[in-house]
């Protein structure tokens, strides 16, 4: 019985000159009958497969089944009905991969260069002694800046710019540095700086710092060694023989200091005169000495290794002087030479922007490039060149294949003292028309050495100036306090060695209406706070819907979110003594922003006459008067109050930069077009 049951529970596999495969079991009860091998009925009664010895498998009448031996599987796989679909699928897979690679390469090839971090958002310049006092001594410090990083992020700032904080013998901390590798104790310690850098980066921000390589303090160790003719330091500064009789120096030539009088000073130790472009406590370094250039390179590397993301290099035009020491020409040739004592009375052909100066600047750039190789860690280089012409300033951008600064800082708006549409327009067009092709502009409304915006132009022009810099192409730069409309203080009452003319714009930041405007919890502050701090402060303005701070935040948010403002064309329409008008537009986006900014008296404008295809009614996207934002205005009659600005929005396919009439009145730094289908920017427009 057991033998009969075994026969019913298995399928016999008959092999021809081979052996039986008992590895596959069927569940059906099948009674296998012993047949005579010579009988015609001896073939398989069910779907059995012969495992052939040296011959080929016979699979003509057999379907694929689970657990097939590989010989059978190979036989099936070679059949057309299985082979062709497999080859088609493989071909489609290869084609898809190749198509994906080609599409990726094409997108990369046609994509415009991405905006770097120094292009993507505004910079915020901080004078550290006046921003926030954390230890109640009346002086702002690095910890104070760190305490206020959350506030800075609410402004949608991308870059924090901290002015000079090096150990210095002059309380101004911007000119006479005793040690370029030390933090002045008034600001804290190197550990405080390292903590600040880490905190800034944790917030997703970048940090740039000031650096003035032209000179040091006369208390710097280099100068002390140089005046004593110690080793290689002997020629670290510019020394020359001169006559010194009865306390009076007879200098080698008529060169003058920026602050007036001779730029040569007799040193009692070395018995020679040293050269100083600024104060006598600020001797100029000798940049014709390779050892000096190497020292400066190492200082740059020191701060980059600390995590600094870039530098603002100042006073670069003074790095070199002519070797021949010939007298500079007088502006008024009839003036008695002995009465020429003011800097403006000479043509400074031998003491500024000498041949070789830009080679030194390029070497700074090369040093910074060594630290820019890591993705996302590009090191920014800006230059400040006060007093130079627009043509000389543009040279700091570099040459087509030789890079210098990412941009020279544009302080021309910071010097406007009379608001008008014509004067503002002149600043804009002079920069854009002279800037080398493909370079990036920037716009500053204030700075430590300039009168504050409110004090220069008046309170009613604060909002419209902020609207201007956020809607122009390029990087907007804000000096601390300008976002709330701080003004110059009227008196300093500080008995320190300062250029007092610049003190009044350095008053403590006005945080709230508490004692010392929330700047310090101490009993005094190094400078008095502004008299209007009870109403002009951050705490008050962040709760007022129509405050300067609220508008600043809305403008910076709009700048961050709108491609028209970050990548679009700038097309200049018109200006007069009162107002200026311009558009921002981008190929692929049928929306246009039209800026109408009034710097003069109240005006009535007919926009329909100026732009033929503008709709009769357009939407006010943003206004310096927040009550108007979101409303519509009739383009036949747009009324602007003095100091009022509007960002108007309308749809059109007829963009101005495509029109012949505006060919020479439109500007774009890096051309790009937008694809709504793919949601990407591309450059082949």
């Amino acid at each position: 019985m057991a033998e009969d049951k075994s026969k019913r529970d298995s399928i016999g596999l008959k092999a021809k000159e081979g052996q039986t495969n008992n590895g596959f079991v069927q569940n059906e009860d099948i009674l296998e009958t012993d047949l005579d091998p010579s009988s015609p009925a001896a073939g398989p009664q069910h779907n059995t497969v012969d495992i052939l010895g040296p011959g080929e498998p016979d699979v003509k009448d057999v379907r694929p089944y689970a657990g097939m031996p590989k010989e059978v599987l190979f036989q099936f796989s070679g059949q057309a009905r299985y082979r062709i679909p497999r080859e088609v699928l493989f071909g489609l897979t290869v084609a898809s991969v190749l198509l994906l690679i080609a599409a990726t390469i094409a997108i990369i090839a046609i994509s415009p260069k991405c905006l770097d971090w120094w292009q993507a958002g505004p910079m915020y310049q901080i004078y550290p002694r006046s921003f926030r006092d954390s230890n109640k001594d009346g002086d702002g410090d690095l910890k104070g800046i760190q305490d206020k990083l959350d506030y800075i992020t609410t402004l949608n700032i991308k870059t924090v710019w901290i002015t000079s904080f090096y150990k210095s013998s002059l309380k101004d901390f911007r000119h006479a540095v005793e040690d370029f590798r030390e933090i002045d104790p008034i600001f804290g310690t190197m550990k405080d700086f390292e903590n600040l850098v880490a905190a800034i980066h944790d917030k997703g921000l970048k940090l740039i710092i000031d650096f003035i390589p032209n000179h040091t303090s006369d208390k710097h160790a280099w100068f002390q060694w140089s005046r004593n003719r110690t080793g290689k330091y002997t020629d670290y500064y510019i020394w020359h023989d001169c006559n010194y009789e009865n306390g009076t120096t007879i200098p080698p030539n008529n060169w003058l200091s920026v602050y007036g009088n001779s730029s040569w000073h007799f040193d009692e130790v070395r018995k020679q005169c040293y050269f100083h472009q600024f104060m006598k406590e600020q001797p100029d370094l000798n940049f014709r000495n390779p050892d000096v250039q190497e020292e400066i390179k190492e200082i740059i590397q020191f701060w980059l290794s600390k995590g600094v993301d870039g530098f603002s290099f100042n006073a670069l035009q003074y790095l070199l002087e002519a070797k021949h020491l010939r007298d500079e020409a007088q502006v008024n040739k009839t003036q008695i030479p002995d009465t020429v004592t003011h800097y403006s009375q000479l043509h400074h052909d031998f003491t500024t922007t000498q041949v070789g100066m830009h080679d030194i600047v390029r070497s700074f750039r090369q040093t910074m490039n060594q630290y820019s190789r890591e993705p996302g860690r590009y090191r920014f280089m800006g230059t400040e060149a006060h007093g130079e012409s627009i043509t000389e300033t543009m040279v700091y951008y570099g040459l087509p294949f030789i890079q210098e600064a990412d941009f020279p800082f544009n302080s021309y708006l910071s010097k406007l003292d009379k608001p008008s549409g014509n004067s503002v327009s002149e600043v804009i067009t002079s920069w854009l028309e002279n800037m080398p092709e493909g370079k990036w502009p920037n716009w500053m409304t204030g700075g430590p050495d300039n009168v504050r915006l409110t004090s220069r132009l008046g309170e009613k022009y604060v909002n419209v100036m902020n609207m201007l810099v956020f809607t122009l192409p390029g990087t907007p730069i804000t000096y601390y306090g300008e976002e709330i409309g701080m003004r110059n203080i009227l008196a300093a009452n500080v008995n320190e060695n300062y250029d007092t003319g610049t003190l009044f714009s350095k008053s403590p930041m006005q945080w709230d209406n508490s004692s010392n405007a929330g700047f310090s919890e101490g009993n005094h502050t190094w400078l008095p706070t502004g008299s209007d701090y009870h109403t002009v402060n951050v705490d008050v303005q962040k709760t007022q819907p129509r405050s300067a701070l609220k508008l600043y935040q809305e403008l910076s948010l709009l700048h961050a979110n709108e491609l028209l403002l970050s990548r679009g064309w700038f097309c200049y329409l018109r200006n007069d003594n009162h107002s200026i008008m311009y558009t921002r537009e981008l190929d692929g986006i049928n929306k246009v922003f039209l800026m109408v900014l009034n710097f003069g008296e109240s005006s009535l404008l007919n926009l329909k006459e100026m732009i033929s295809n503008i709709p009769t009614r357009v939407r006010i996207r943003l206004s310096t008067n927040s009550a108007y934002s979101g409303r519509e205005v009739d383009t036949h009659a747009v009324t602007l109050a003095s100091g009022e600005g509007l960002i108007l929005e309308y749809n059109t396919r007829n963009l101005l930069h495509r029109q012949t009439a505006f060919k020479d009145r439109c500007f774009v730094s890096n051309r790009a077009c937008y694809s709504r289908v793919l949601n990407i920017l591309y450059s082949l427009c």
Side-chain angles (χ1 to χ4, degrees):
M1 292 295 293
E3 183 179 351
D4 292 340
K5 183 170 177 54
S6 174
K7 289 181 179 180
R8 290 199 308 270
D9 289 345
S10 65
I11 295 177
L13 296 176
K14 179 77 171 174
K16 191 179 296 183
E17 296 181 0
Q19 61 182 357
T20 302
N21 185 345
N22 295 317
F24 305 104
V25 179
Q26 302 290 336
N27 290 327
E28 296 88 343
D29 287 338
I30 301 173
L31 182 60
E32 183 177 294
T33 305
D34 290 330
L35 298 175
D36 188 299
S38 63
S39 171
Q45 301 299 310
H46 303 285
N47 290 334
T48 61
V49 179
D50 288 339
I51 305 302
L52 304 178
E56 295 295 331
D58 185 7
V59 294
K60 181 178 180 181
D61 298 322
V62 180
R63 295 176 179 274
Y65 57 89
M68 290 181 295
K70 65 180 182 180
E71 294 86 351
V72 178
L73 178 62
F74 290 155
Q75 186 71 11
F76 279 114
S77 66
Q79 296 179 8
R81 57 177 171 172
Y82 299 113
R83 176 175 50 79
I84 293 175
R86 185 175 66 249
E87 291 175 352
V88 170
L89 288 174
F90 177 76
L92 289 174
T93 301
V94 172
S96 298
V97 171
L98 293 176
L99 183 63
L100 183 60
I101 293 173
T104 303
I105 294 173
I107 290 174
I108 294 173
I110 67 173
S111 294
K113 183 182 177 182
C114 294
L115 296 183
D116 219 322
W117 55 265
W118 50 274
Q119 300 169 306
M123 294 182 175
Y124 191 74
Q125 187 182 22
I126 295 174
Y127 190 75
R129 196 178 183 186
S130 298
F131 197 63
R132 177 74 171 94
D133 170 25
S134 69
N135 58 1
K136 304 180 183 181
D137 65 354
D139 292 301
D141 46 49
L142 299 179
K143 284 185 177 179
I145 296 174
Q146 184 173 342
D147 291 343
K148 292 299 183 178
L149 288 180
D150 284 338
Y151 165 73
I152 293 174
T153 60
T154 67
L155 303 177
N156 301 299
I157 297 297
K158 296 296 182 184
T159 305
V160 177
W161 172 9
I162 303 178
T163 61
S164 187
F165 49 73
Y166 307 104
K167 186 177 181 182
S168 173
S169 57
L170 290 182
K171 298 298 191 293
D172 187 60
F173 302 109
R174 283 180 59 83
H175 299 294
V177 176
E178 288 185 19
D179 192 335
F180 286 109
R181 291 180 174 87
E182 288 291 333
I183 306 292
D184 196 281
I186 201 171
F187 297 125
T189 64
M190 185 60 75
K191 182 64 176 176
D192 293 335
F193 178 79
E194 292 168 351
N195 291 339
L196 175 60
V197 172
I200 286 174
H201 289 162
D202 286 344
K203 297 288 184 183
L205 306 174
K206 299 292 185 179
L207 172 66
I208 64 175
I209 62 175
D210 270 4
F211 185 32
I212 306 177
N214 178 70
H215 48 261
T216 70
S217 165
D218 59 356
K219 293 182 174 57
H220 197 291
W222 296 346
F223 185 78
Q224 297 303 315
W225 292 327
S226 185
R227 73 196 308 198
N228 286 286
R229 303 176 188 266
T230 304
K232 67 175 184 178
Y233 299 99
T234 300
D235 294 324
Y236 262 42
Y237 296 84
I238 301 168
W239 297 94
H240 202 277
D241 292 332
C242 59
N243 294 322
Y244 185 73
E245 300 174 359
N246 301 322
T248 302
T249 301
I250 302 176
N253 55 32
N254 72 341
W255 295 355
L256 296 177
S257 161
V258 171
Y259 294 115
N261 297 315
S262 177
S263 57
W264 297 95
H265 184 75
F266 183 76
D267 180 62
E268 292 284 357
V269 175
R270 182 156 168 158
K271 304 301 182 183
Q272 282 185 307
C273 283
Y274 64 84
F275 180 72
H276 59 91
Q277 294 264 27
F278 297 92
M279 296 180 179
K280 62 182 176 62
E281 295 87 359
Q282 301 164 333
D284 275 39
L285 285 166
N286 178 16
F287 269 88
R288 298 191 186 278
N289 184 337
D291 289 334
V292 171
Q293 294 190 35
E294 185 63 25
E295 292 274 13
I296 298 301
K297 175 183 176 180
E298 291 175 2
I299 292 169
I300 294 172
Q301 292 173 329
F302 173 82
W303 289 106
L304 292 177
S305 67
K306 290 289 183 183
V308 167
D309 298 294
F311 287 95
S312 164
F313 289 94
N314 206 341
L316 294 179
Q317 68 265 43
Y318 304 108
L319 289 180
L320 292 177
E321 300 76 30
K323 296 179 180 179
H324 52 63
L325 301 184
R326 290 200 296 267
D327 283 354
E328 292 185 315
Q330 296 178 192
V331 173
N332 180 1
K333 295 181 179 180
T334 63
Q335 185 174 354
I336 299 173
D338 289 344
T339 65
V340 177
T341 58
H342 294 287
Y343 191 72
S344 60
Q345 294 174 332
L346 291 180
H347 294 292
H348 302 285
D349 298 326
F350 303 145
T351 54
T352 61
T353 319
Q354 297 298 292
V355 174
M357 182 271 289
H358 281 282
D359 293 331
I360 297 173
V361 177
R362 290 170 197 141
S363 73
F364 297 163
R365 174 75 267 174
Q366 292 167 3
T367 300
M368 298 178 70
N369 284 344
Q370 296 171 7
Y371 288 78
S372 299
R373 294 167 183 165
E374 182 182 347
R377 290 308 308 274
Y378 180 81
R379 305 307 174 99
F380 167 83
M381 178 174 170
T383 59
E384 294 185 75
H386 301 295
E388 295 199 275
S389 69
I390 187 70
T391 304
E392 292 171 326
T393 299
M394 292 300 155
V395 179
Y396 287 96
Y397 275 114
L399 301 173
F401 300 103
I402 303 177
Q403 185 184 13
E404 287 189 34
D406 292 297
F407 54 64
F409 289 104
N410 178 1
S411 60
Y412 289 94
L413 286 175
S414 304
K415 299 171 183 176
L416 282 180
D417 53 7
K418 292 182 180 179
S420 75
N422 290 333
S423 59
V424 171
S425 175
E426 183 180 355
V427 169
I428 297 170
T429 55
S430 65
W431 191 274
L432 296 181
E433 289 175 359
N434 286 280
M435 188 176 68
E437 184 178 355
K439 298 300 183 179
W440 191 258
N442 68 99
W443 314 94
M444 304 173 66
T445 57
D449 299 326
N450 300 108
V451 178
R452 282 195 176 273
L453 179 60
T454 305
S455 298
R456 277 188 292 116
L457 304 182
E459 182 180 352
K460 66 180 178 180
Y461 293 107
V462 170
N463 286 342
V464 73
M465 286 297 287
N466 283 331
M467 182 172 283
L468 174 71
V469 297
F470 273 103
T471 55
L472 288 173
T475 301
I477 303 173
T478 299
Y479 181 51
Y480 83 97
E482 301 286 23
E483 73 275 17
I484 60 174
M486 281 178 57
R487 63 176 68 245
N488 276 22
I489 55 175
L490 300 178
N493 297 326
V494 175
N495 186 23
E496 296 183 3
N497 190 6
Y498 272 102
D499 176 5
T500 56
T502 68
L503 273 180
F504 306 120
S505 61
K506 297 183 174 78
S507 60
M509 178 66 176
Q510 295 167 193
W511 295 105
D512 54 44
N513 56 14
S514 66
S515 176
N516 298 326
F519 163 74
S520 173
E521 296 177 6
N523 296 324
H524 71 283
T525 57
W526 79 282
L527 281 178
T529 55
S531 58
D532 59 354
Y533 79 88
H534 289 285
T535 55
V536 180
N537 65 67
V538 172
D539 239 19
V540 168
Q541 291 197 14
K542 70 182 182 182
T543 61
Q544 295 176 340
R546 300 186 182 183
S547 66
L549 177 60
K550 280 291 185 182
L551 178 64
Y552 186 95
Q553 291 171 324
E554 291 173 344
L555 286 167
S556 61
L557 189 62
L558 187 70
H559 183 273
N561 294 334
E562 288 288 350
L563 282 173
L564 296 180
L565 297 179
S566 60
R567 302 298 300 251
W569 286 82
F570 165 88
C571 288
Y572 170 71
L573 292 178
R574 57 154 284 179
N575 69 277
D576 56 28
N577 199 41
H578 301 299
S579 61
I580 63 170
M581 293 172 50
Y582 54 91
T583 64
R584 300 301 306 278
E585 54 191 44
L586 184 68
D587 290 292
I589 298 179
N590 295 330
K591 179 176 66 176
V592 170
F593 284 152
L594 169 62
M595 270 56 68
V596 186
L597 311 178
N598 189 14
F599 295 92
E601 301 300 322
S602 297
S603 303
L604 180 65
L605 301 175
N606 186 343
L607 303 183
K608 199 71 174 174
E609 289 182 349
M610 305 173 197
I611 308 175
S612 58
N613 64 325
I614 192 171
T616 302
R617 298 193 67 81
V618 295
R619 177 172 173 256
I620 300 176
R621 180 63 180 269
L622 211 55
S623 169
T624 52
N625 184 343
S626 62
Y628 296 157
S629 297
R631 295 184 182 180
E632 288 191 345
V633 63
D634 187 344
T635 54
H636 288 97
V638 177
T639 302
L640 285 179
S642 180
E644 184 177 1
L646 299 175
I647 301 177
L648 304 177
E649 179 183 340
Y650 64 93
N651 294 326
T652 182
R653 293 181 180 273
N654 191 16
L655 301 180
L656 294 181
H657 73 270
R658 298 175 183 168
Q659 301 177 25
T660 305
F662 289 92
K663 180 180 179 181
D664 298 326
R665 300 167 67 181
C666 292
F667 162 85
V668 69
S669 181
N670 296 305
R671 186 169 184 176
C673 305
Y674 177 71
S675 170
R676 284 179 291 180
V677 176
L678 300 177
N679 191 29
I680 63 169
L681 288 171
Y682 61 98
S683 57
L684 299 178
C685 303

